[in-house]
Amino acid sequence: MKGKIKDQGVLFKTTQFRESSLILRVFLKYRGLVSILAKGIRKKPENNLLNSLYTYDFTLYEPQESGLYLLSEFTLLKEFNLFDNIPAWTAAECAAELYTQIIISSEENPAYYDVLQSYMDYLKIRSDNSILLWWRFLLRIFRMLGIAFPLDLCAVCNKKKLQIVAWEKDTGRLICAECLKEANYPEYYELLTSSAAQILHLLPVIGDYLDKLHPDSQTVEQLNHLFSDHYQNHFRKPLKLHSLEVLSQFFQ
C-alpha cells in the first residue's frame, strides 16, 4: 500500500467480504467512484456507523495499482436519515446508481460531488414528489455530460415553443404541434399526455410547483421513457436504473 490520503465521500453501498470485512462503494469528492476494503470492521462498534447515502470523511491507504483502497479511519460528516420516507430515499438511490453507470473524469469529480450533495440536501427539505426532483437532477447531469436537453426547443423547426407535444421514439427529439402536423411519419412520434407536457415545460423551475403537480403512472412512465431515449440516443445504451423502477411504483 502507498501512503495515507484523506477525502470526503458519499457511501453508496456496502458488501460483505469474508467473515469480518466489508467492501464499501463510495463516491469521493476528488477521486470519484472507488471501492474500499474495510478489514475486520464487522466485528467493531464502528460498523454500526456506516449507512448508505451518509457522507463521511475517510482516511485511506492508496492501492498499489488498480486494487482496493484500504480503510484506515472515518468520521461521519452528514446524515441522510430519510428512512421514514421511502420515495425520497429511493430518489437518492437513483442518483447513486446513475453515478455508477456514467463516466466522470477526475477533473469533474468535485463538480459531480457538489451536485449530488445539493440534490440530497434538497430531498431532505422537500421530500414530497421526489420524482420531480429526480428529473430535474437528471437534466443537470445531462448538461454536465455534454448532452443538454432543452425542453422548450422543437428539434424539427429549431424554435423555442411554449409547449412540446411529442417526442421521436428512440431518439428523444422533441417536436411542437405545428411540426407534428406536417410530419411525414407521425407514427414515429409518441404523444405526450397533458400532464407530462406540463411537467416538461415546468421542470427547469419545478421547485416552485412541487405542491401543485402530482404525476400519475402514465406521466411517470412517459417521462422516464423520454429521458431514457435521450440518453440512449447519445450513448447508444439504455438508461436502466433499478432504483428508478422502484421509485416509479410509488406513483401507480
Side-chain angles (χ1 to χ4, degrees), residues 10-154:
V10 180
L11 176 59
F12 283 175
K13 183 181 180 182
T14 61
T15 304
Q16 292 186 8
F17 182 71
R18 295 179 179 169
E19 292 185 1
S20 61
S21 302
L22 292 173
I23 293 178
L24 315 179
R25 195 69 166 155
V26 179
F27 190 82
L28 296 173
K29 182 170 185 176
Y30 296 104
R31 288 163 179 82
L33 191 65
V34 301
S35 293
I36 302 169
L37 175 60
K39 294 179 84 172
I41 197 168
R42 291 169 59 199
K43 292 184 177 180
K44 299 177 182 179
E46 299 96 293
N47 182 41
N48 297 325
L49 300 177
L50 286 169
N51 293 289
S52 295
L53 301 179
Y54 280 33
T55 302
Y56 299 91
D57 193 18
F58 292 98
T59 302
L60 308 168
Y61 290 100
E62 289 187 288
Q64 284 294 343
E65 293 180 354
S66 59
L68 300 175
Y69 285 79
L70 180 62
L71 179 65
S72 173
E73 57 185 4
F74 65 93
T75 304
L76 176 64
L77 294 180
K78 187 188 298 183
E79 296 181 350
F80 188 76
N81 49 354
L82 283 178
F83 303 109
D84 59 341
N85 190 323
I86 302 303
W89 179 275
T90 309
E93 287 190 321
C94 287
E97 189 176 354
L98 176 66
Y99 273 36
T100 66
Q101 295 191 15
I102 60 178
I103 298 175
I104 303 173
S105 68
S106 57
E107 295 82 6
E108 294 177 310
N109 283 330
Y112 278 88
Y113 180 83
D114 290 342
V115 168
L116 177 63
Q117 287 286 349
S118 297
Y119 172 59
M120 294 172 63
D121 287 343
Y122 203 70
L123 279 172
K124 289 191 289 187
I125 299 171
R126 296 300 308 270
S127 57
D128 51 321
N129 259 338
S130 53
I131 198 163
L132 298 175
L133 300 179
W134 157 250
W135 288 329
R136 186 181 67 173
F137 170 79
L138 188 59
L139 286 179
R140 295 187 69 179
I141 299 302
F142 283 167
R143 185 168 64 250
M144 295 173 73
L145 288 170
I147 58 167
F149 196 10
L151 302 180
D152 59 351
L153 186 68
C154 174

